[in-house]
Amino acid sequence: MDQKNQMMMTGNLAAAWGARLAEVDYVPAFPITPQTEIVEALSKWCGTGELNARFVTLDSEHSMMTAAGAAAATGARVFTATSSQGLLYAFEVLYTVAGWRAPLVLVNVSRALASPITLEPDHNDVLAARDSGFVQIHAETCQEVVDSILLAYRIGEDPLVCLPVLVNLDGFGLSFTREPVRLPEPEAVRDFLPPFRPAHLGFKASAPQALGTAVLGGSTYSYFRHQIHLASMNALRVHEQAATEFEQCFGRRYDVVEGYRIEDAEDVLVMSNAFASKGKAAVDAAREDGRKVGLLRLRMIRPWPADAVRRALRRRRAVAVLDQNLSPGQGGILFQEVAACLYHDPERPRGLCSFIGGLGGKNISEGEFHAVFEQTAAAGKQGQGIGPVLLYTEAEHREMEQLQFLAHDLKTGR
Amino acid sequence: MAGAARGAEPSSTNIKEGPAVISVRFHGRGGQGAKTASRILGTAAFSEGFTAQDSPIYGAERRGAPVSAFTRIAKGPIRERGIIICPSLVVVADASLIGDPAARVIEGIDERTAVFVNSPLTGEQLHTRISLPGRLTTLDLTEVAVRELGKRSALSALLGAVAGRLVGLRSESIDHAVAQELADLGVDASIIQRNQTAARHCYEAVSLVPVETSVHRGPGPTPLRVPAYEPPTRGTARITAGPNSAIRSVSGWRTYRPVLRPDLCNGCWLCFANCPEGAITIKPDGKPAVYYPHCKGCLDCVEVCPTDAMTVERETDVTNK
């Protein structure tokens, strides 16, 4: 392995390094597991002067996002981070700052939502924010976390976009996991990421402006919200250009989706985030067993890369979308989006399957991936869809029954 | 203990080319250093040019609760993530964890798994006490920690060294990794040096057992379960069995137990006030009494006792307290 300039680093530390290398001006912060290590590192660096930024602790995530948006509206480069319940607490402000067209970067460390309450990851938190107007990039590795934050500033600050960007990494799976990371050189980052000089934002006493003003009657509102939509759609081609320059500067290439052993694949598994690594290992194992399968990883979720998804999935026998989220009363969130963009393709897959796995961080075992590939192949042969199928095993249910016994039937008292 | 080639020259030949991965699972109690041990192993492997990945898993628990940590080492990319179900090597910092189903120590262990247990017993002795498949090797790390570091829970460097030796990493790599990881935690240079000395000792002293790379075992599809709708009395996350923590013994958590010497006790009740578990009561004579099933062995009572009346005894029967 080429280890030049690499170091062992958690996803959380990689996120902090992303902000440090982007030379952010302002970091409003509020702690929450499993994100806290990010703001702790930034707090330390602001204290030592290694990062020349103003670090402020706020009284809640709602205040934190308000401060982040307000600072970005003055033309400052802003970074902040949260997770799960914290993201939901900040929710109304997400829509507001997107409407201000204030391009800050928010890192979300995915953690499943209450209740019941847990600390481990799934994507109901970050996907709840998918309609807010934030651009969303979902990372698979710690390296991708630091790189995606640099790309996020570059894309978000582009005059064709001017939107806040959310970079997602999984709690535990990346946040507390160390793996080799190559940090970009600060000089090269300065070339890749020019200073933030927005034309529509700024703070000058002699030139006051009002932002996010009241509009009634609907047509004005329609116009401005549609502008947010167009800005988000622009992020697809801005990402393309930024990714090309990023590759020239740093030698690593990121696209809006990533195909793994997909060229000759009959059946394709669609995943996102850290568990996509496990999906790739499962593809390798299935290939050893003679199954022609591949994996498509969704990296940019907003804007939705419909063309890239369609190109990757057409002409397949079957496609399985493994959602690490659950919309009660519907099923997998990303399944719906994949299905919608394939509808009009005359060569759409014969079978489209929906799996729900990894809720609350539940492990997806090799045997469960095997079951996914088998059921997907069968669906492709029969030309019909299945799901949503919950990845949850007989063995796990026996443990669940044992817990139910402890919770309800155990006689207490000494 | 098949293949225990004590004194054999360590090498990195255990770690093969291609997708083969050495997966090491650490089990400890919060505060014993399992997480840092996984990092020491990861850093040591990384410094020898391998790809490494390390991660801990813990909940909202306190000191003494079961903690797991995982290190994967390979020549190529590592695509597995999270918990290790089928480990190459299991490193157990505290033998009392073996019998705790919640700690999942025995999960995935078969006759080809190497298992290290921190214990004063030999592998053979331990085998007669507990049913544990796998290639067992032991060393009394707690004794080394007490002797060399004066602190019974300072096991991270020792666990890292033992794991490093078993998977075939070099002594110098462990040395370097101990320094780096403990410095990251803000440990003083002099204490780091003592950790390195103790780690070197454990590296040399542990009896070797073969450690195999994890292989794709082709388990076949796992049977999935489709849970049926159940009434909200069962389908809601709630507990109706009343306070049952009273019948949950945490005795197994202790490596050491606090023991009162009544002749030295001045009846100040500081131990009673500081016990985080409410395991200390006051007898009619005004002296404290420890209710051991609820004592997790944090020894806060020993720390606060102004007259050193609370003393420390090592738990000897590691499997059944």
Side-chain angles (χ1 to χ4, degrees):
Chain A
M1 192 181 66
D2 171 24
Q3 288 191 335
K4 197 161 172 288
N5 302 323
Q6 280 192 328
M7 53 201 285
M8 292 288 285
M9 193 181 287
T10 61
N12 275 347
L13 193 57
W17 267 105
R20 176 167 162 176
L21 286 166
E23 298 181 331
V24 299
D25 302 306
Y26 181 62
V27 182
F30 192 85
I32 180 171
T33 301
Q35 171 280 122
T36 304
E37 189 190 349
I38 299 175
V39 292
E40 277 176 353
L42 290 170
S43 165
K44 194 179 86 185
W45 293 335
C46 288
T48 58
E50 289 163 288
L51 173 60
N52 183 23
R54 180 69 186 266
F55 184 96
V56 180
T57 53
L58 276 298
D59 56 14
S60 74
E61 288 88 352
H62 189 279
S63 307
M64 180 189 87
M65 273 314 300
T66 306
T74 69
R77 185 174 279 166
V78 178
F79 176 88
T80 188
T82 189
S83 171
S84 189
Q85 313 297 133
L87 183 68
L88 263 59
Y89 198 34
F91 216 70
E92 67 161 325
V93 190
L94 301 181
Y95 286 68
T96 302
V97 302
W100 293 349
R101 307 287 298 280
L104 54 94
V105 171
L106 165 67
V107 160
N108 182 66
V109 183
S110 264
R111 165 182 148 187
L113 295 168
S115 58
I117 198 160
T118 183
L119 299 173
E120 293 167 87
D122 69 32
H123 304 138
N124 266 99
D125 61 351
V126 61
L127 291 178
R130 75 189 185 280
D131 304 334
S132 64
F134 273 60
V135 170
Q136 286 201 6
I137 299 173
H138 292 216
E140 180 195 344
T141 65
C142 296
Q143 181 70 60
E144 198 180 335
V145 170
V146 57
D147 292 347
S148 294
I149 290 168
L150 301 179
L151 279 161
Y153 280 108
R154 173 67 188 259
I155 296 161
E157 292 174 0
D158 192 293
L160 286 170
V161 179
C162 277
L163 284 175
V165 184
L166 190 158
V167 175
N168 191 69
L169 61 131
D170 280 343
F172 289 85
L174 286 191
S175 73
F176 301 153
T177 299
R178 293 196 320 167
E179 56 190 16
V181 172
R182 181 173 281 113
L183 286 179
E185 290 297 327
E187 305 302 322
V189 173
R190 275 182 211 120
D191 288 341
F192 173 73
L193 193 59
F196 179 37
R197 299 273 182 270
H200 71 296
L201 300 172
F203 185 76
K204 208 168 160 189
S206 60
Q209 59 166 319
L211 199 54
T213 44
V215 292
L216 292 174
S219 57
T220 325
Y221 184 87
S222 301
Y223 171 81
F224 286 122
R225 291 309 289 188
H226 186 248
Q227 286 294 310
I228 298 173
H229 169 65
L230 296 177
S232 185
M233 294 307 287
N234 283 346
L236 288 169
R237 63 187 158 108
V238 172
H239 181 282
E240 173 76 24
Q241 193 198 341
T244 302
E245 275 184 49
F246 189 91
E247 187 180 13
Q248 285 161 3
C249 289
F250 307 108
R252 291 183 294 278
R253 173 79 197 187
Y254 296 100
D255 289 305
V256 289
V257 297
E258 180 203 359
Y260 181 75
R261 301 186 80 167
I262 204 169
E263 291 72 23
D264 64 337
E266 279 184 308
D267 301 337
V268 174
L269 174 62
V270 179
M271 291 183 72
S272 69
N273 289 283
F275 269 9
S277 299
K278 293 175 71 73
K280 290 174 180 176
V283 163
D284 289 344
R287 288 256 173 186
E288 276 180 42
D289 295 344
R291 291 177 189 276
K292 279 168 81 173
V293 296
L295 183 138
L296 183 73
R297 180 169 69 91
L298 303 172
R299 185 169 171 276
M300 189 174 251
I301 306 266
R302 281 293 179 274
W304 176 249
D307 288 339
V309 172
R310 198 181 300 120
R311 271 198 305 274
L313 298 182
R314 63 205 302 258
R315 295 184 192 160
R316 309 296 174 180
R317 182 177 63 181
V319 165
V321 182
L322 205 173
D323 270 288
Q324 200 175 351
N325 63 74
L326 177 61
S327 174
Q330 168 59 281
I333 293 167
L334 296 175
F335 173 79
Q336 311 302 327
E337 306 215 342
V338 170
C341 77
L342 289 172
Y343 180 78
H344 279 298
D345 196 296
E347 296 180 288
R348 61 176 183 261
R350 278 171 49 77
L352 195 55
C353 308
S354 171
F355 293 90
I356 309 291
L359 295 186
K362 191 191 97 64
N363 186 45
I364 305 174
S365 65
E366 207 179 320
E368 284 167 87
F369 276 114
H370 195 150
V372 167
F373 288 133
E374 271 200 352
Q375 293 190 25
T376 303
K381 282 176 199 149
Q382 287 156 17
Q384 50 184 231
I386 55 164
V389 175
L390 178 68
L391 297 185
Y392 176 78
T393 68
E394 288 286 355
E396 285 163 344
H397 193 67
R398 284 192 291 277
E399 284 184 18
M400 185 64 227
E401 283 174 337
Q402 181 64 27
L403 289 171
Q404 293 275 25
F405 172 79
L406 292 177
H408 299 299
D409 306 318
L410 189 67
K411 298 281 176 277
T412 56
R414 297 204 192 124
Chain B
M1 290 206 298
R6 191 169 175 173
E9 205 46 39
S11 71
S12 299
T13 50
N14 282 339
I15 303 156
K16 295 169 187 149
E17 297 286 350
V21 176
I22 286 208
S23 316
V24 182
R25 194 171 73 203
F26 293 86
H27 294 277
R29 297 193 177 280
Q32 286 179 330
K35 174 186 171 183
T36 305
S38 75
R39 286 184 167 221
I40 289 168
L41 184 64
T43 294
F46 180 67
S47 74
E48 290 193 23
F50 296 108
T51 310
Q53 178 203 77
D54 54 60
S55 60
I57 190 134
Y58 40 76
E61 296 97 342
R62 304 142 295 173
R63 188 157 54 151
V67 171
S68 308
F70 314 99
T71 307
R72 294 183 170 95
I73 304 168
K75 285 212 163 123
I78 297 170
R79 303 215 190 277
E80 275 304 327
R81 286 199 180 278
I83 60 170
I84 292 171
I85 304 283
C86 291
S88 315
L89 167 66
V90 174
V91 176
V92 185
D94 189 322
S96 66
L97 286 167
I98 298 169
D100 182 353
R104 295 177 178 272
V105 175
I106 57 172
E107 189 167 76
I109 295 181
D110 64 20
E111 64 287 350
R112 297 190 316 185
T113 315
V115 181
F116 170 84
V117 181
N118 168 25
S119 169
L121 305 178
T122 65
E124 287 85 355
Q125 286 170 329
L126 204 57
H127 254 313
T128 62
R129 304 278 195 95
I130 45 173
S131 156
L132 197 64
R135 301 156 176 161
L136 206 55
T137 178
T138 64
L139 191 64
D140 192 352
L141 302 187
T142 306
E143 188 269 325
V144 177
V146 171
R147 196 183 63 222
E148 305 277 338
L149 305 169
K151 210 174 154 200
R152 61 202 153 258
S153 64
L155 297 177
S156 54
L158 317 184
L159 294 164
V162 164
R165 176 63 186 269
L166 290 171
V167 304
L169 297 176
R170 291 193 291 267
S171 179
E172 313 85 76
S173 318
I174 302 292
D175 226 40
H176 150 82
V178 167
Q180 186 175 321
E181 293 309 320
L182 295 187
D184 263 12
L185 295 173
V187 176
D188 279 354
S190 63
I191 296 172
I192 291 176
Q193 274 189 4
R194 282 158 62 195
N195 269 279
Q196 288 173 308
T197 308
R200 261 177 245 131
H201 169 77
C202 297
Y203 183 92
E204 295 300 331
V206 67
S207 297
L208 297 188
V209 289
V211 174
E212 294 181 19
T213 52
S214 307
V215 288
H216 165 47
R217 290 176 191 174
T222 299
L224 298 180
R225 167 92 184 198
V226 183
Y229 178 78
E230 295 196 271
T233 48
R234 270 178 80 82
T236 311
R238 59 187 207 120
I239 296 168
T240 58
N244 57 24
S245 58
I247 58 172
R248 160 97 162 130
S249 169
V250 293
S251 276
W253 294 25
R254 289 192 306 269
T255 313
Y256 283 80
R257 63 162 61 198
V259 176
L260 184 76
R261 285 189 55 186
D263 53 316
L264 296 179
C265 176
N266 66 0
C268 71
W269 295 11
L270 274 176
C271 55
F272 164 75
N274 280 279
C275 176
E277 296 298 310
I280 297 178
T281 51
I282 301 297
K283 293 183 293 182
D285 68 355
K287 299 280 174 76
V290 181
Y291 181 65
Y292 286 105
H294 289 175
C295 170
K296 61 179 182 169
C298 70
L299 304 182
D300 282 3
C301 53
V302 176
E303 219 154 281
V304 298
C305 180
T307 61
D308 293 334
M310 274 295 183
T311 60
V312 170
E313 282 179 18
R314 181 150 182 206
E315 297 286 358
T316 48
D317 193 342
V318 291
T319 54
N320 185 24
K321 287 170 196 167

